C-alpha cells in the first residue's frame, strides 16, 4: 500500500485549535505561537486542499462547509492521540492510587487494608493521605475518600458513613474528685479542639448548656486523628465519631462520656471520576470498601452534580 500523503501535523493542529476556539488569536495562545504563524499554517492547508476552511469575520472566524467536515474528524484524532500518549506514559496500570482524608486513613482504612491485600493480591495499592480535593483529570489518582457534604463537581460521590459526634477521653483522665455527671462538668477538664473551637461550643449548646464561652480554650489540632491521639494519651476531652474512635473505644484507650450526640451534616464519601468504574481495580476497591462500611450491594452510581449546585467540602 502506498503511503498516505498528509499535510504537516503543525498545520492540522493549528486548524483544530482555531476551529475549536473560533479565533486565530486564541489558537495561537494555546499553541504558544504567533497569530501570523497560525494564519500561515491554515493558509497552507487551504492551498493544499484547494478550498477555504474558514470565513474570516473580523476578530473571529467561522468554519466553511469543508471546515465543518474536517473539524470533528481531526478533533477526535487529536483526542485519541492524547489518550494513547497518556496510556503509553503510565508507569504501572496495575497500581491503584487512593487519595484519602488523613484522619480516616489513619484511624479506619489502614486498620483494614490487610483484608483488601488478601482479597486482591494482584492490585498494588498506593495510599495518598490528603485533605485536598482531587482533580482526577490532572492527577494520577484513581479513587478517593473525602469528608464533607458531598455533591462535589465533576466526580461521582457515594456516602460511606454518616457522622455524629460525642465527647471521649482516656480513662486515666477521669478524676473522682471532679466527677463528670452532666455536660457542664466538662468545665473542669481541658478540651481538645479540631480545626475550630466552635465544634465544642455547638455540642455543648446542643446538650443544653447555656452560653458555653468557657469551651473556647485548650489546644487546637489540624486533624481529628491528632486530637483523638491527644485524648487517648490523657491530655483532655475530645469530640469524636464512631468511624474514627471505634478502635480506641473497643480497646479501652478511650471512653465515651455521654449518650448525647450531635448529628453532623457532613460525612465520609467515596469519590471517583465518572466512568472510573470501568477500571476493574477501581470497581474492586469500591465494592470492598462498601462491604467494610456495612453497606449493601453496590448500586448504580449517580452522575456528578453540575458545578452550580455543587456544595463545598469542609476538608
Amino acid at each position: 500500500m502506498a503511503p498516505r500523503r498528509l499535510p504537516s501535523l503543525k498545520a492540522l493542529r493549528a486548524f483544530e485549535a482555531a476551529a475549536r476556539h473560533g479565533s486565530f488569536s486564541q489558537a495561537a495562545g494555546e499553541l504558544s505561537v504567533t497569530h501570523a504563524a497560525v494564519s500561515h499554517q491554515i493558509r497552507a492547508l487551504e492551498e493544499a486542499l484547494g478550498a477555504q476552511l474558514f470565513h474570516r469575520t473580523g476578530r473571529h472566524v467561522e468554519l466553511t462547509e469543508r471546515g465543518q467536515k474536517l473539524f470533528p474528524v481531526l478533533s477526535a484524532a487529536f483526542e485519541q492521540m492524547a489518550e494513547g500518549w497518556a496510556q503509553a506514559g503510565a508507569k504501572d496500570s496495575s497500581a491503584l492510587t487512593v487519595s484519602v482524608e488523613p484522619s480516616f486513613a489513619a484511624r479506619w482504612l489502614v486498620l483494614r487494608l490487610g483484608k483488601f491485600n488478601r482479597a486482591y493480591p494482584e492490585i498494588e495499592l498506593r495510599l495518598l493521605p490528603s485533605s485536598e480535593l482531587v482533580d482526577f483529570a490532572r492527577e494520577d489518582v484513581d479513587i478517593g475518600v473525602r469528608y464533607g457534604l458531598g455533591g462535589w463537581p465533576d466526580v461521582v460521590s457515594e456516602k460511606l458513613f454518616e457522622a455524629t459526634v460525642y465527647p471521649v477521653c482516656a480513662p486515666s483522665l477521669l478524676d473522682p474528685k471532679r466527677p463528670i455527671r452532666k455536660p457542664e462538668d466538662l468545665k473542669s477538664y481541658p478540651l481538645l479542639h479540631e480545626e475550630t473551637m466552635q465544634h465544642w461550643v455547638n455540642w455543648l449548646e446542643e446538650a443544653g448548656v447555656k452560653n458555653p464561652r468557657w469551651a473556647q480554650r485548650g489546644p487546637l489540632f489540624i486533624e481529628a486523628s491528632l486530637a483523638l491521639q491527644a485524648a487517648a494519651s490523657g491530655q483532655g476531652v475530645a469530640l469524636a465519631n464512631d468511624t474514627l474512635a471505634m478502635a480506641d473505644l473497643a480497646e479501652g484507650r478511650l471512653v465515651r462520656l455521654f449518650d448525647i450526640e450531635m448529628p453532623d451534616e457532613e460525612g465520609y464519601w467515596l469519590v471517583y471520576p465518572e466512568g472510573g468504574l470501568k477500571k476493574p481495580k477501581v470497581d474492586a476497591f469500591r465494592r470492598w470498601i462498601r462491604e467494610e462500611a456495612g453497606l449493601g450491594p453496590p448500586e448504580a452510581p449517580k452522575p456528578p452534580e453540575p458545578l452550580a449546585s455543587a456544595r463545598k467540602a469542609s476538608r
Side-chain angles (χ1 to χ4, degrees):
M1 179 183 294
R4 297 176 180 176
R5 299 190 63 181
L6 292 172
S8 76
L9 189 62
K10 286 184 178 180
L12 293 175
R13 191 73 181 93
F15 165 79
E16 191 275 339
R20 180 159 34 84
H21 289 292
S23 166
F24 285 7
S25 296
Q26 292 184 39
E30 177 182 319
L31 301 175
S32 299
V33 297
T34 64
H35 180 285
V38 171
S39 181
H40 175 76
Q41 294 284 6
I42 291 173
R43 183 166 283 109
L45 284 180
E46 291 175 329
E47 290 176 358
L49 189 63
Q52 272 192 297
L53 294 171
F54 290 100
H55 295 300
R56 277 73 170 175
T57 57
R59 295 183 179 181
H60 298 282
V61 292
E62 296 179 358
L63 289 168
T64 64
E65 184 177 351
R66 290 284 187 94
Q68 291 174 4
K69 291 180 179 179
L70 181 60
F71 172 61
V73 177
L74 281 182
S75 181
F78 279 116
E79 184 69 26
Q80 189 172 3
M81 282 192 287
E83 184 177 346
W85 180 255
Q87 291 177 355
K91 294 182 179 180
D92 187 354
S93 60
S94 66
L96 175 70
T97 302
V98 185
S99 175
V100 190
E101 194 277 328
S103 293
F104 183 86
R107 293 193 156 261
W108 192 90
L109 185 57
V110 168
L111 302 178
R112 292 163 174 79
L113 284 184
K115 296 181 183 179
F116 180 83
N117 294 331
R118 288 190 293 271
Y120 300 98
E122 73 281 5
I123 298 177
E124 179 185 341
L125 186 65
R126 297 173 180 171
L127 206 59
L128 180 63
S130 173
S131 297
E132 300 298 322
L133 294 178
V134 177
D135 184 347
F136 288 103
R138 296 177 179 273
E139 299 178 49
D140 185 19
V141 175
D142 298 297
I143 195 168
V145 177
R146 285 291 170 268
Y147 185 81
L149 297 172
W152 296 286
D154 302 324
V155 297
V156 180
S157 305
E158 298 183 34
K159 180 170 279 190
L160 294 174
F161 299 102
E162 301 282 353
T164 57
V165 296
Y166 45 81
V168 297
C169 71
S172 60
L173 182 72
L174 299 176
D175 184 351
K177 297 179 181 179
R178 296 178 294 161
I180 301 177
R181 298 190 178 93
K182 56 186 184 302
E184 288 88 344
D185 296 333
L186 291 171
K187 192 173 183 179
S188 301
Y189 286 85
L191 301 182
L192 308 176
H193 303 270
E194 175 209 345
E195 287 193 344
T196 173
M197 294 186 176
Q198 190 61 38
H199 290 161
W200 261 115
V201 173
N202 293 344
W203 185 89
L204 288 164
E205 289 179 341
E206 185 81 10
V209 179
K210 296 181 180 180
N211 196 25
R213 293 183 180 178
W214 50 266
Q216 295 182 319
R217 56 179 171 77
L220 186 66
F221 298 89
I222 296 176
E223 296 290 344
S225 60
L226 298 178
L228 290 177
Q229 185 174 345
S233 67
Q235 297 180 38
V237 183
L239 287 172
N241 63 59
D242 283 333
T243 304
L244 300 187
M246 187 184 303
D248 284 329
L249 289 168
E251 296 176 16
R253 290 187 293 270
L254 290 174
V255 293
R256 180 172 175 171
L257 297 180
F258 301 100
D259 291 333
I260 304 169
E261 57 186 21
M262 183 178 70
D264 193 336
E265 292 181 356
E266 299 168 314
Y268 291 97
W269 297 75
L270 190 67
V271 295
Y272 50 89
E274 189 172 15
L277 297 182
K278 293 179 181 179
K279 298 179 181 179
K281 61 186 179 182
V282 176
D283 185 56
F285 185 83
R286 178 201 179 214
R287 290 176 177 276
W288 173 81
I289 198 170
R290 284 180 58 93
E291 182 178 346
E292 287 297 311
L295 302 177
E299 302 174 355
K302 296 180 181 179
E305 293 188 14
L307 180 60
S309 63
R311 292 166 292 178
K312 185 178 180 182
S314 68
R315 59 177 181 271

